[in-house]
Amino acid sequence: MDLSKLEFTALIALKADIESEIKHREVEEKFKAKKQIIELARAHGLSVEDVLSGKTATARKPVEVKYRHPDDSNLSWTGRGRKPAWVQAWIDSGKTLEALTI
């Protein structure tokens, strides 16, 4: 189709028709995609809620505490991440980290 040969009003009408068709097809494509997503989820034993939640089927087990203060059982540390202030103070006082091991 050679658009340069169309009248201005015909171009405007064509533009409106194209925008209308795009909206119509967008609705159809979204419906098809939604149907495919639901079918794929069901084929893998998932509900749509499972897929949308982003959570995995298996929950992670919390990391167990590896170190505990001998005088205050509320002070504990898994050994991961930055050392808590109480652990650093313990080490700075000349005591060993191994002494805190549970």
Side-chain angles (χ1 to χ4, degrees):
M1 173 186 265
D2 187 6
L3 298 177
S4 64
K5 295 184 179 181
L6 291 176
E7 295 286 325
F8 178 74
T9 54
L11 285 172
I12 298 296
L14 182 60
K15 179 182 174 187
D17 290 344
I18 290 172
E19 288 174 352
S20 174
E21 185 64 22
I22 288 172
K23 286 180 185 177
H24 175 72
R25 289 196 189 181
E26 182 180 23
V27 169
E28 286 180 350
E29 290 298 316
K30 285 181 179 180
F31 178 77
K32 287 179 191 176
K34 184 178 176 182
K35 187 176 176 184
Q36 287 176 334
I37 291 167
I38 291 169
E39 288 173 2
L40 185 60
R42 285 185 183 152
H44 288 83
L46 299 169
S47 69
V48 176
E49 291 78 20
D50 292 336
V51 174
L52 295 178
S53 73
K55 295 180 182 177
T56 59
T58 57
R60 288 187 172 185
K61 180 182 168 188
V63 178
E64 292 183 25
V65 172
K66 191 172 179 181
Y67 304 101
R68 182 165 280 125
H69 195 287
D71 300 327
D72 186 354
S73 63
N74 291 327
L75 297 175
S76 61
W77 180 44
T78 63
R80 292 189 178 179
R82 189 174 180 180
K83 288 183 185 109
W86 67 269
V87 172
Q88 192 60 52
W90 179 270
I91 294 170
D92 291 345
S93 70
K95 298 173 186 169
T96 65
L97 183 61
E98 289 76 28
L100 299 173
T101 304
I102 297 176

